[in-house]
Amino acid sequence: MTFVFAGMAQFGKEQPDFATVQRAVYICFNILMGDFDWDSMTSIGRKEAAFWFLPFMLLMFLVLLNMLLAIIMDTYDRVKNKLGSNTETLWS
């Protein structure tokens, strides 16, 4: 939600996509999915758009990667426990 409010503060007056909280949440989700208009974001300023966009994408990438690794490691742990403690695994 921090990036939603930062986007509203930075782009809200000139971009109708960031005018309300609902629209800002929707456009942040679309940006995360890869559907964004870089030219309209840079109409405010190239540095300002990059200052918001790059940390947003980096942080969201790290969060999603962390979720994927948590799912993988949880599944690995379940399979390892099902097999028993005496079986050989990749890291034994």
Side-chain angles (χ1 to χ4, degrees):
M1 290 301 291
T2 302
F3 282 101
V4 169
F5 291 120
M8 285 178 61
Q10 190 168 358
F11 304 116
K13 291 181 182 177
E14 298 177 18
Q15 290 289 328
D17 291 335
F18 284 96
T20 64
V21 175
Q22 292 84 8
R23 287 182 184 173
V25 168
Y26 178 73
I27 198 67
C28 283
F29 180 75
N30 281 347
I31 289 171
L32 184 62
M33 294 295 122
D35 182 25
F36 58 92
D37 186 13
W38 178 249
D39 294 329
S40 69
M41 289 176 70
T42 57
S43 66
I44 291 146
R46 195 168 180 89
K47 290 180 184 176
E48 291 85 1
F51 183 73
W52 181 86
F53 181 78
L54 292 176
F56 175 74
M57 291 303 283
L58 180 67
L59 186 66
M60 292 299 115
F61 171 75
L62 291 175
V63 167
L64 291 175
L65 182 64
N66 191 18
M67 290 172 60
L68 176 66
L69 288 175
I71 292 168
I72 290 171
M73 293 308 293
D74 186 48
T75 304
Y76 175 76
D77 192 42
R78 286 183 189 173
V79 169
K80 185 179 171 186
N81 287 338
K82 229 184 234 188
L83 293 175
S85 61
N86 294 334
T87 57
E88 187 173 335
T89 62
L90 291 175
W91 292 289
S92 63

